[in-house]
């Protein structure tokens, strides 16, 4: 079986590629990635010489190149992760998100539609989406697969749009598809623009920890390897035409998470308790900031038997240890353009 993973050099994609390459030596795994600022082949250096792994540098916004690649390689299944993924960047430059997340997805859908014509049932387009498409929850309730869409950021709107197109291609052209909507991931290889890796890096460097607004925003955190296991489970056992919500059963207010991380880092770095917390700085809120996300993952649990394997305390410790043991990776991704990004976003 030839499986195309898009965005496989990114955070979640690299864990998905590693899992598929190592678990299924009989499959050919193709990693298609444009290597934007978020894509890094260092994430896969432990498996990149495996005989069942091929890297393809390509941009999903280039329709003719995508079509040509589908003609050449005849992929059986597609797991689509390539995207612009950071909410704050989407507020600065929404069109970049329209281009990659909507137009790029359209190009993949069109290639699948034309190449798989007449033998659709042997194929699958598996679209990786986010809980952000559902909008924001109040103080209680959980997102189920039946929730209506109500995206609030340009990022969430672009992902919602791509979800709708995937479904529409299923209805209109019989394209076999599955969509999964996952909560916040964390773990190794996470680009340090997102809350947890950004704060780990800042604590190492003793820089301010910029908490947006009052810090009382809630997210549901899942260890990235558990997401990769869920994707593997859905790829093999998911039902075509279905949506699965994936979450960690693990809600944290940002400020409580930051305090937990600060204590863990103080202990790990043998610093006096309170050292990291003294870096906490409340800054201007994110516009359109969603108050709370929380996933009801009972469908994937009861129907496919998936549940998280790692507790938050274990996952956070493993994550901190990974960053401390991979300072070269961190130094590489925080050099150059990252410095400009950081001063643009965090220097008022
Ligand atoms: P990421 O930003 O770390 O990685 C994105 C990858 O896509 C990078 O390797 C990048 O080079 C590649 N890419 C970007 N534009 C491309 C283009 N035009 N053509 C080809 N490749 C391109 O993202 P992530 O956090 O790993 O997220 C992966 C997917 O999972 C996204 O679709 C995201 O919406 C979804 N998701 C993420 C989370 C999360 O918490 N990170 C949660 C739920 C869903
Ligand atoms: O819910 C799934 C989504 O989770 C994914 O679809 C997105 O790709 C992913 O980026 C993530 O989105 P969030 O906006 O929730 O993640 P982020 O790490 O950017 O922010 C988490 C929370 O922390 C959010 O409430 C904003 C806050 N925050 C974030 C940053 C970067 C801060 O307070 N300060 C910061 O500097």
């Amino acid at each position: 079986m030839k499986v195309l993973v898009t965005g496989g050099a990114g955070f979640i994609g690299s864990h998905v590629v590693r899992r598929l390459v190592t678990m299924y030596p009989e499959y050919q795994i193709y990693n298609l990635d444009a290597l934007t600022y978020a894509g890094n082949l260092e994430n896969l250096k432990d498996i990149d010489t495996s005989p069942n792994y091929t890297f393809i540098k390509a941009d999903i916004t280039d329709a003719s190149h995508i079509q040509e690649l589908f003609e050449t390689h005849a992929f059986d299944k597609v797991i689509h992760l390539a995207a612009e993924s950071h909410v704050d960047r989407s507020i600065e430059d929404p069109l970049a998100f329209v281009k990659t997340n909507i137009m790029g997805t359209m190009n993949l859908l069109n290639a699948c539609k034309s190449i798989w014509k007449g033998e659709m049932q042997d194929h699958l387009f598996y679209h990786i989406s986010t809980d952000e498409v559902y909008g924001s929850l109040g103080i209680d309730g959980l997102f189920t697969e039946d929730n209506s869409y109500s995206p609030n950021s340009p990022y969430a709107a672009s992902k919602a749009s791509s979800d709708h197109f995937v479904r529409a291609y299923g209805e209109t052209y019989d394209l076999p598809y599955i969509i999964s909507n996952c909560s916040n991931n964390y773990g190794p290889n996470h680009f340090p623009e997102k809350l947890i890796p950004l704060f780990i890096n800042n604590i190492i460097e003793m820089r301010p920890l910029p908490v947006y607004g009052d810090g009382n925003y809630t997210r549901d955190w899942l260890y990235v390897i558990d997401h990769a296991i869920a994707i593997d489970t859905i790829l093999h056992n998911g039902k075509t035409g279905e949506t699965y919500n994936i979450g960690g059963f693990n809600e944290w207010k940002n400020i409580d998470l930051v305090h937990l991380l600060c204590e863990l880092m103080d202990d790990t770095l043998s610093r006096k308790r309170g050292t990291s917390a003294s870096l906490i700085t409340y800054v201007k809120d994110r516009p359109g900031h969603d108050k709370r996300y929380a996933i009801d993952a009972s469908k994937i649990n009861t129907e496919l038997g998936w549940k998280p394997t790692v507790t938050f305390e274990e996952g956070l410790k493993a994550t901190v240890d990974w960053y401390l043991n991979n300072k070269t990776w961190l130094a590489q991704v925080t050099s150059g353009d990252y410095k400009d990004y950081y001063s643009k976003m965090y220097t008022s």
Side-chain angles (χ1 to χ4, degrees):
M1 183 159 76
K2 294 181 171 187
V3 181
L4 173 68
V5 180
T6 71
F11 167 48
I12 301 170
S14 60
H15 289 280
V16 171
V17 166
R18 176 176 299 98
R19 181 168 177 91
L20 297 180
V21 165
T22 51
M23 294 282 292
Y24 306 102
E26 69 279 23
Y27 296 178
Q28 277 301 319
I29 308 300
Y30 296 82
N31 169 16
L32 183 159
D33 200 296
L35 300 182
T36 68
Y37 78 92
N40 188 346
L41 289 177
E42 281 295 303
N43 294 347
L44 289 165
K45 65 178 186 320
D46 55 322
I47 57 102
D48 66 6
T49 55
S50 305
N52 64 335
Y53 171 75
T54 306
F55 174 66
I56 301 170
K57 186 168 187 315
D59 188 329
I60 58 169
T61 67
D62 182 345
S64 56
H65 191 198
I66 293 301
Q67 179 71 22
E68 193 186 301
L69 289 168
F70 272 74
E71 281 163 14
T72 308
H73 297 289
F75 307 116
D76 296 300
K77 300 198 175 184
V78 175
I79 309 177
H80 176 37
L81 295 107
E84 288 293 338
S85 68
H86 190 36
V87 173
D88 293 332
R89 287 185 194 256
S90 82
I91 295 166
E92 293 296 307
D93 184 8
L95 271 180
F97 286 67
V98 170
K99 204 172 159 207
T100 293
N101 299 358
I102 306 177
M103 293 303 295
T105 301
M106 290 296 293
N107 292 335
L108 291 166
L109 289 170
N110 284 333
C112 293
K113 171 175 161 270
S114 71
I115 302 293
W116 295 347
K117 201 172 176 184
E119 44 178 46
M120 287 286 191
Q121 68 288 350
D122 302 332
H123 297 92
L124 177 69
F125 188 89
Y126 177 11
H127 183 59
I128 305 302
S129 192
T130 169
D131 59 359
E132 300 204 10
V133 299
Y134 298 124
S136 186
L137 289 164
I139 50 167
D140 52 20
L142 299 171
F143 294 132
T144 71
E145 289 79 0
D146 297 327
N147 259 88
S148 57
Y149 277 28
S150 186
N152 291 317
S153 71
Y155 162 69
S158 69
K159 291 297 289 187
S161 173
S162 62
D163 290 10
H164 289 321
F165 274 108
V166 172
R167 251 189 221 106
Y169 271 54
E171 291 297 321
T172 310
Y173 308 112
D174 291 328
L175 183 88
Y177 75 89
I178 297 178
I179 299 173
S180 58
N181 297 81
C182 189
S183 63
N184 286 61
N185 286 215
Y186 71 98
N189 309 98
H190 206 181
F191 192 81
E193 61 187 351
K194 313 277 168 62
L195 179 75
I196 291 180
L198 185 129
F199 279 33
I200 291 174
N201 188 37
N202 284 13
I203 290 171
I204 294 171
E205 295 186 357
M206 288 295 288
R207 280 151 61 125
L209 305 178
V211 173
Y212 295 161
D214 61 6
N216 286 319
Y217 293 88
T218 300
R219 297 291 182 268
D220 171 3
W221 294 92
L222 177 68
Y223 194 54
V224 64
I225 293 173
D226 278 326
H227 190 189
I229 296 171
I231 290 172
D232 178 358
T233 305
I234 291 170
L235 175 75
H236 289 95
N237 303 319
K239 246 173 81 187
T240 299
E242 294 282 324
T243 290
Y244 296 91
N245 279 358
I246 307 170
F249 303 99
N250 179 40
E251 285 185 54
W252 284 82
K253 276 193 176 152
N254 291 343
I255 192 63
D256 295 338
L257 187 163
V258 169
H259 277 289
L260 179 73
L261 180 65
C262 285
E263 286 184 6
L264 176 59
M265 295 268 316
D266 283 346
D267 294 351
T268 313
L269 293 167
S270 305
R271 290 177 181 164
K272 196 165 152 269
R273 278 271 177 114
T275 308
S276 303
S278 71
L279 301 169
I280 293 173
T281 311
Y282 290 92
V283 299
K284 193 157 78 63
D285 210 349
R286 171 186 280 176
H289 200 166
D290 284 332
K291 190 77 192 159
R292 176 172 165 258
Y293 305 143
I295 280 278
D296 178 352
S298 48
K299 177 175 174 183
I300 183 173
N301 178 239
T302 52
E303 292 185 13
L304 304 182
W306 174 90
K307 63 176 193 303
T309 63
V310 173
T311 66
F312 193 49
E313 285 69 16
E314 288 166 349
L316 201 58
K317 171 100 185 75
T319 304
V320 166
D321 289 346
W322 187 86
Y323 282 91
L324 292 174
N325 292 327
N326 287 275
K327 287 214 174 112
T328 317
W329 184 95
L330 199 52
Q332 188 228 331
V333 302
T334 54
S335 63
D337 290 351
Y338 181 83
K339 291 194 191 325
D340 298 336
Y341 167 81
Y342 198 90
S343 61
K344 185 171 164 207
M345 302 303 271
Y346 293 100
T347 317
S348 48

